[in-house]
Amino acid sequence: MSVSPTPPEVRLGHVFRDRALLAQALTHPSLRQDPAPPETNQRLEFLGDAVLQLVLTEELFTAFPGEREGELSRLRATLANGACLAGLAREAGVDAALRLSASEETAGGRARPAALADALEALLGAVFLEAGLEGARRAVQALYGPLAPRLAAAVADNPKGRLQERIQPVHGNDALRYTVVATEGADHARTYTVTVFLQDQPLGTGRGPSKKAAEEAAARAALAVT
């Protein structure tokens, strides 16, 4: 019997023969609390992370023959960080396909960047198990598309990295400090306020639903005035 591919399978270019493997890759650890807990995606995420690192290393090595290993490592880290992976997961429809507990759903778990990034890596691990390294390579290429524009978009969406690059040549690697100056709201709906300091001088302040989001908002504010 033919199976209609899910949106993540369409984006990956791989329709799973083993539907249980697909389901596992999309199963959030919160379902471990169910009376009959399914196997979650954590082991597959561990495998997929390694597969992704290898494929990105090979792709970058080929695409940028003039770059040294330090710059290639930086580019790989940009493409494999949580924000980039979460964005790719949303593009692929992983957020809608994710399997969560009711409590995690209510708490907004379907939108959590870490959950989306982990699920995407788990899917790559599952593709590797079914289709080997060549299948995983095709899936990574389908996810990212051409690397140069993807890198440009990732850098543009990384205000902390841009601020660091602006400050580092004059003040060194450790000159910036992000400090939570206020928190508001209940645990499930908390808002953080963060100020970024250049040594002891405040550069910008931002607010967000997580420390990471607030830090990025603070960095954007600092970029506007430095």
Side-chain angles (χ1 to χ4, degrees):
M1 185 176 69
S2 63
V3 175
S4 297
T6 64
E9 289 175 290
V10 172
R11 182 59 183 268
L12 291 165
H14 179 84
V15 178
F16 284 90
R17 299 183 301 276
D18 184 346
R19 307 308 286 177
L21 186 62
L22 170 64
Q24 181 185 342
L26 293 168
T27 299
H28 187 268
S30 61
L31 280 177
R32 189 180 289 131
Q33 307 304 319
D34 278 14
E39 191 162 1
T40 70
N41 62 13
Q42 289 177 300
R43 281 174 52 83
L44 286 173
E45 183 269 330
F46 169 77
L47 175 61
D49 174 68
V51 170
L52 178 63
Q53 293 290 324
L54 175 58
V55 173
L56 285 178
T57 299
E58 182 183 33
E59 293 291 309
L60 289 166
F61 186 86
T62 302
F64 300 99
E67 296 292 356
R68 297 185 64 83
E69 63 275 16
E71 179 62 10
L72 292 174
S73 294
R74 188 187 71 80
L75 294 176
R76 183 182 61 193
T78 297
L79 291 171
N81 69 31
C84 185
L85 292 180
L88 291 170
R90 293 187 194 97
E91 291 177 16
V94 172
D95 49 349
L98 201 58
R99 303 169 71 211
L100 305 163
S101 69
S103 60
E104 183 67 15
E105 179 87 57
T106 301
R110 192 173 296 281
R112 293 189 200 279
L116 295 174
D118 288 352
L120 189 69
E121 289 183 327
L123 283 166
L124 291 173
V127 171
F128 175 78
L129 290 178
E130 269 210 352
L133 184 58
E134 186 55 41
R137 182 183 294 111
R138 288 194 299 269
V140 170
Q141 291 169 340
L143 281 171
Y144 283 90
L147 291 186
R150 181 67 68 178
L151 280 164
V155 169
D157 196 38
N158 181 17
K160 291 180 65 178
R162 285 186 286 137
L163 182 61
Q164 178 72 16
E165 288 176 358
R166 187 172 298 181
I167 296 298
Q168 180 179 334
V170 177
H171 299 281
N173 290 332
D174 302 319
L176 292 174
R177 171 171 52 89
Y178 292 84
T179 301
V180 177
V181 296
T183 57
E184 306 167 59
D187 288 346
H188 67 280
R190 184 151 291 180
T191 298
Y192 296 85
T193 303
V194 167
T195 296
V196 57
F197 293 86
L198 173 55
Q199 296 167 347
D200 293 324
Q201 178 69 34
L203 290 184
T205 297
R207 302 174 76 242
S210 67
K211 291 179 183 178
K212 181 176 183 295
E215 288 175 356
E216 291 176 345
R220 289 190 187 95
L223 285 165
V225 298
T226 57

